[in-house]
Amino acid sequence: MSLVDTFTDRMLRRPRGRLARIMWQDMKAHHGIFADTLAALNLSPNDRLLEIGCGGGTFAAMALASGCRLTAVDHSADMVALTEAANADALREGSLQVLEADAEELPLPDRQFSCAATMNTLFFVDAAKALGELRRVLEPGGRLVIHTVAPQSPRKILPGPVARRMRFHTDDELRTLLESAGFGEIHLTRIDGAFQLASAVRPADTSDSTGPEPAEQLRDGSHA
């Protein structure tokens, strides 16, 4: 494994070790990303939020200030530990749960969350599987916000050798991935030209409807 492969793997793909813990403890360069994502989520105390890729736990702390309940997930044990340490009070009070798990196979029940967010994670996951899992765990009407980097811009943000080891999606590709995963109300905007901010909603299907089933509607004559 080359030095670039090692750096990408240990600092970005699955951060671990002392240097990674120092870097991710409070990634100030990402505070703007966190603020953009929170603005798109528009959290309330009634929300049950899922964060995929919680890193050092700074976004979790910002989100919890809304009064929501949060489940934070990361596949790095070191990042799980950082998030727990940064949010010890919320963890103790029960408003925060932190899990070590993969985005493509979440150990979570169906329809558990009212909203979900993921930032800078699609670079290293199977995006189709991860988005399918996010749809599964969102309740009907649940909203998703994604913040990521546009493919034309990675070299402005990361060294070229690192960027070449990551996956990026065009606006059309990201929209298609969301549609294929079963999301609707998809909105995608650019921030500073380099970043993509996407929002989407899990639609209600027939089984989600609170109204009468079609057969019942026919029986009572409402659709006769």
Side-chain angles (χ1 to χ4, degrees):
M1 182 181 288
S2 71
L3 287 176
V4 177
D5 288 329
T6 299
F7 172 87
T8 303
D9 184 55
R10 296 187 179 181
M11 301 299 287
L12 302 175
R13 187 192 312 276
R14 191 187 300 266
R16 58 194 185 275
R18 180 173 176 273
L19 289 178
R21 290 193 298 272
I22 292 170
M23 184 176 85
W24 288 104
Q25 186 169 15
D26 183 13
M27 180 66 82
K28 289 183 170 55
H30 287 183
H31 283 201
I33 292 171
F34 300 156
D36 292 338
T37 303
L38 286 169
L41 283 168
N42 190 26
L43 295 170
S44 80
N46 295 322
D47 274 315
R48 303 176 312 282
L49 171 65
L50 171 65
E51 181 193 4
I52 300 296
C54 57
T58 302
F59 176 82
M62 296 168 72
L64 286 163
S66 71
C68 74
R69 298 176 67 84
L70 170 63
T71 295
V73 175
D74 205 291
H75 67 176
S76 164
D78 282 7
M79 298 302 102
V80 167
L82 283 179
T83 296
E84 290 178 338
N87 299 278
D89 289 345
L91 197 67
R92 184 167 52 252
E93 293 162 2
S95 57
L96 172 66
Q97 176 187 28
V98 189
L99 300 175
E100 182 181 349
D102 290 331
E104 297 97 332
E105 194 171 351
L106 297 171
L108 296 165
D110 296 356
R111 307 183 184 197
Q112 183 176 356
F113 299 96
S114 63
C115 52
T118 188
M119 294 152 283
N120 294 338
T121 60
L122 298 186
F123 312 134
F124 300 117
V125 301
D126 183 321
K129 288 183 179 179
L131 292 175
E133 279 290 86
L134 283 165
R135 184 195 184 280
R136 178 183 65 79
V137 301
L138 282 171
E139 66 185 15
R143 57 204 193 276
L144 169 65
V145 175
I146 298 170
H147 203 300
T148 190
V149 178
Q152 298 89 343
S153 309
R155 293 190 183 188
K156 298 178 183 178
I157 298 167
L158 293 160
V162 174
R164 285 194 291 273
R165 287 159 172 79
M166 301 164 70
R167 299 189 189 101
F168 302 89
H169 302 89
T170 66
D171 294 354
D172 287 343
E173 288 169 346
L174 186 52
R175 187 174 287 106
T176 297
L177 282 164
L178 286 163
E179 290 172 348
S180 298
F183 285 97
E185 300 182 40
I186 298 166
H187 299 281
L188 197 151
T189 58
R190 288 292 189 96
I191 298 175
D192 297 331
F195 298 98
Q196 297 158 308
L197 181 68
S199 63
V201 173
R202 173 181 172 164
D205 55 30
T206 302
S207 62
D208 298 324
S209 175
T210 56
E213 293 297 316
E216 184 179 345
Q217 292 174 340
L218 289 172
R219 283 196 300 274
D220 68 17
S222 59
H223 281 63

